[in-house]
Amino acid sequence: MTRRVAVIGAGSSGLTCIKTCLDEGLEPVCFESSDDIGGLWRFKENPEPDRASIYHSVIINTSKEMMCFSDFPIPAEYPNYMHNSLVIQYFRMYAEHFQLTKHIRLKTTVHQVKQRPDFSHSGQWDVETQNSEGKRQKHIFDAVMICIGHHCHPNMPLQDFPGIDSFKGVYFHSRDYKTPEQWRNRKAVVIGIGNSGGDIAVELSRFTKQVYLSTRRGSWIFNRVGDNGWPIDLTFNRAFEVMRSLLPMNAVCSLEERKLNQRFNHRLYNLQPKHRLFHQHPTVSDELPNCILSGTVQVKPNICRFQGSSVEFDDGSIVEDIDLVVFATGYSFSFPFLASHVLPVSGNKASLYKYVFPPELEKQTLAVIGLVQPLGAVMPIAEMQARWATRVFKGCAKCPPVAAMMKDVQCKQEAMASRYVSSPRHTIQVDFINYMDEIADQLGVRPSIPRLLLTDPRLAHSVMFGPSTPYQYRLRGPGKWAGARQAIMTQWDRVIRPMKTNACDLPEPGRSVAVPLALLAAALGVASWYYRNSLPGILQEPSALLDRMKGLVPAWGA
């Protein structure tokens, strides 16, 4: 019998879960409480309860080649950093191309997910839902995939701000912010310097009389535009990860902090934190330094108290006649439809093996997808998690014993506590390439650089020194995609395409022969190691090595 899988949520994680279920011959049924797909990325003027909501101007912080699903590149003509309307459009294209929508039940809320009485044998779940007409229905599923993300409940720490109850102005969470026009010629305070806080402060500063950006710790600020104008996230590749693994963390932080300070001096701008660069999730903002330089945004410390329409900060300074306070203070997550013993959540922490499987269940038929805060895009990570989870559901991949899974959970928690400053957002933090490789190893789809050097040196160079795009995980193993190599070799074309809006008659710069020569040397080195046992014979008769390599390198001149 075909195994039935309940997918809870039809955002980006839910859509890729439906697709991976279909790829593995499973039968997905997706329950979405709202009236459309897209989750976080679907803009709505009026936010729904217990759901994240974006503001009208949101532009994604990860470039299109890094955020796309691994077998469905984003159209070449789309800009590298997309407005939220294009992000949701891409999701609709993905759903239509793979015929996912027929598996989605909109306006259907999941009220309860519980283990069946014979769970220890069957691994099945009872799922109770309610549609828009109030009709409740019970279902039986062989597995469940939870795809509700971590932007569930707005975090409003009002208890930390004395006097807020008597504040004469307006205050709300950043999820309720939509557009800035109504605050023209007013004075605003934005609390929090994450991505939302930085963006909202910048946008409000174009209309308000003054914006004050309050931050407890400061933050390192990344620019979307990297060296030579390329998207910044395309520069963090496998070669960079190798360097980072070889050098002490403090040395890597110093190198990168120096680059950031060359753009603008974080200490001069009152933004430099006490922690190192890779010890906190950085903020991405192209315009914040300019707003500080022009005075439309003033950086202030933490708020001490509110009094009427005045705000006093920890440094003793007071600003008066504040009309608006925006709490850009993040979110918390929970799983209200699950019994607490199945997946306990405390302090924004959930014990999950590799952030996917509750380790102590008798059967691994429950997976949480997309509950990570990556230094990179979450969409390909959710896809990789889903590919692994569906293989586990089918019995094609297995999780280790409970003790080994619990040890992995503990090690990750300890590593995170030692590296990151204490914060609710640093409970699910992962590094994009390392985590993708970790899950890819479970599947057997991690790209092999040595093998590629022997069989396809050009591709090996792109995988090692080019952007670590999701297509790399479709080159081999389960879910291999015939278009993966072509997608990798043409990824820079798609990066350049949307910027070619005006003809440029300047000649192209000449190409260096250093890279091809280095590739050839690397390929010969790998080949020598691979055939080390027969190396004396090959040295006497070099043509033997060439004959062997001809069979291994069909794409040498491609």
Side-chain angles (χ1 to χ4, degrees):
M1 292 178 61
T2 303
R3 293 175 180 264
R4 299 181 73 232
V5 180
V7 178
I8 303 175
S12 60
S13 297
L15 292 177
T16 197
C17 281
I18 300 170
K19 198 261 184 183
T20 53
C21 282
L22 296 173
D23 288 345
E24 293 294 340
L26 305 173
E27 181 186 338
V29 180
C30 178
F31 301 107
E32 169 56 47
S33 61
S34 71
D35 59 359
D36 202 355
I37 67 171
L40 169 69
W41 289 100
R42 184 165 57 89
F43 173 77
K44 295 195 74 173
E45 286 286 352
N46 300 309
E48 301 170 23
D50 295 327
R51 294 180 65 88
S53 183
I54 57 175
Y55 37 99
H56 185 268
S57 62
V58 166
I59 293 174
I60 197 164
N61 285 330
T62 50
S63 65
K64 65 177 182 180
E65 290 299 302
M66 295 300 298
M67 65 154 279
C68 67
F69 295 115
S70 60
D71 55 358
F72 195 70
I74 292 173
E77 65 272 15
Y78 278 33
N80 285 284
Y81 291 105
M82 300 188 295
H83 184 262
N84 63 84
S85 59
L86 291 178
V87 175
I88 190 67
Q89 188 172 320
Y90 169 67
F91 292 156
R92 295 192 194 284
M93 293 165 56
Y94 180 76
E96 181 180 353
H97 180 80
F98 293 109
Q99 301 181 14
L100 307 181
T101 52
K102 63 184 178 182
H103 301 280
I104 303 172
R105 300 185 185 181
L106 298 174
K107 298 182 181 179
T108 304
T109 303
V110 173
H111 276 280
Q112 188 177 57
V113 176
K114 65 179 182 178
Q115 297 156 294
R116 303 213 76 214
D118 63 345
F119 180 82
S120 60
H121 171 71
S122 68
Q124 291 182 324
W125 299 84
D126 285 322
V127 177
E128 184 178 349
T129 62
Q130 179 177 317
N131 63 18
S132 59
E133 298 172 353
K135 181 181 178 181
R136 295 211 173 198
Q137 189 174 1
K138 293 185 177 181
H139 320 259
I140 298 174
F141 286 99
D142 298 292
V144 176
M145 306 179 85
I146 300 174
C147 312
I148 61 174
H150 54 88
H151 296 93
C152 302
H153 313 295
N155 177 39
M156 289 275 282
L158 300 182
Q159 70 279 359
D160 297 336
F161 297 92
I164 187 66
D165 292 338
S166 60
F167 176 59
K168 292 182 179 180
V170 176
Y171 68 89
F172 50 70
H173 191 270
S174 58
R175 75 185 289 272
D176 296 308
Y177 172 83
K178 296 301 170 186
T179 56
E181 289 83 1
Q182 70 185 94
W183 304 106
R184 187 182 298 274
N185 296 324
R186 307 289 185 88
K187 295 169 74 174
V189 173
V190 177
I191 303 173
I193 197 174
N195 291 325
S196 295
D199 282 352
I200 292 172
V202 166
E203 186 169 83
L204 281 171
S205 72
R206 301 190 185 107
F207 292 85
T208 56
K209 184 184 298 183
Q210 184 64 60
V211 172
Y212 302 93
L213 179 57
S214 171
T215 169
R216 288 179 299 173
R217 285 188 293 263
S219 181
W220 295 101
I221 310 297
F222 272 94
N223 194 8
R224 288 186 179 91
V225 184
D227 293 344
N228 300 310
W230 299 116
I232 186 68
D233 55 359
L234 299 185
T235 65
F236 295 104
N237 52 29
R238 293 184 179 278
F240 176 82
E241 287 301 319
V242 170
M243 179 201 74
R244 198 166 80 161
S245 67
L246 295 175
L247 294 176
M249 177 62 79
N250 282 338
V252 177
C253 287
S254 295
L255 289 171
E256 293 301 314
E257 288 166 9
R258 182 180 178 184
K259 288 180 64 176
L260 294 181
N261 278 325
Q262 284 176 344
R263 180 183 170 225
F264 74 91
N265 188 317
H266 283 62
R267 183 183 299 277
L268 179 64
Y269 281 59
N270 295 313
L271 288 174
Q272 182 160 325
K274 293 180 180 178
H275 58 263
R276 306 307 302 269
L277 172 59
F278 292 113
H279 293 178
Q280 182 185 24
H281 196 89
T283 299
V284 178
S285 179
D286 300 271
E287 300 178 67
L288 181 58
N290 180 59
C291 292
I292 296 172
L293 193 63
S294 61
T296 57
V297 173
Q298 290 186 22
V299 179
K300 304 293 285 184
N302 194 40
I303 292 174
C304 176
R305 66 176 58 85
F306 289 87
Q307 189 169 1
S309 60
S310 300
V311 178
E312 181 180 350
F313 297 93
D314 280 350
D315 62 357
S317 61
I318 298 174
V319 293
E320 299 180 343
D321 302 321
I322 298 297
D323 301 288
L324 169 67
V325 175
V326 180
F327 284 85
T329 44
Y331 293 83
S332 61
F333 63 84
S334 66
F335 309 102
F337 44 78
L338 275 176
S340 59
H341 71 274
V342 175
L343 183 53
V345 178
S346 177
N348 234 33
K349 296 179 182 178
S351 293
L352 293 167
Y353 176 59
K354 299 194 183 300
Y355 303 102
V356 177
F357 291 106
E360 296 184 291
L361 288 181
E362 296 166 288
K363 297 285 185 179
Q364 295 301 333
T365 55
L366 176 69
V368 180
I369 306 298
L371 189 65
V372 289
Q373 179 79 40
L375 289 170
V378 73
M379 294 81 172
I381 286 180
E383 180 189 43
M384 184 66 73
Q385 291 176 328
R387 291 172 65 187
W388 176 38
T390 50
R391 298 286 290 177
V392 171
F393 295 160
K394 285 183 64 177
C396 299
K398 294 187 180 297
C399 293
V402 172
M405 288 192 283
M406 292 297 293
K407 184 177 180 180
D408 182 87
V409 170
Q410 183 179 356
C411 287
K412 281 183 167 53
Q413 290 176 347
E414 291 174 353
M416 199 171 307
S418 65
R419 173 176 167 182
Y420 291 101
V421 297
S422 179
S423 170
R425 75 186 305 195
H426 294 145
T427 59
I428 49 175
Q429 198 78 26
V430 296
D431 293 322
F432 181 82
I433 297 175
N434 292 338
Y435 182 72
M436 287 285 281
D437 281 351
E438 184 178 356
I439 304 301
D441 284 336
Q442 309 299 312
L443 273 166
V445 299
R446 181 175 178 174
S448 170
I449 303 297
R451 184 180 181 86
L452 288 174
L453 275 170
L454 282 173
T455 59
D456 196 337
R458 284 190 65 206
L459 181 59
H461 177 266
S462 293
V463 171
M464 185 67 187
F465 298 101
S468 293
T469 46
Y471 322 120
Q472 296 185 4
Y473 301 95
R474 291 283 184 178
L475 290 169
R476 67 188 189 101
K480 179 180 178 181
W481 175 42
R485 184 187 188 277
Q486 177 67 10
I488 293 171
M489 302 309 291
T490 58
Q491 57 197 5
W492 288 109
D493 297 335
R494 289 188 297 278
V495 172
I496 295 170
R497 171 75 178 277
M499 295 187 283
K500 292 290 186 180
T501 57
N502 184 28
C504 182
D505 297 330
L506 294 175
E508 292 285 341
R511 294 189 176 184
S512 171
V513 297
V515 170
L517 288 176
L519 265 178
L520 179 59
L524 289 173
V526 171
S528 299
W529 180 87
Y530 193 78
Y531 296 116
R532 61 193 182 281
N533 293 330
S534 54
L535 191 58
I538 289 174
L539 291 175
Q540 293 178 2
E541 187 60 46
S543 61
L545 176 61
L546 294 176
D547 290 339
R548 293 191 187 189
M549 291 183 69
K550 284 179 182 177
L552 289 171
V553 191
W556 188 276

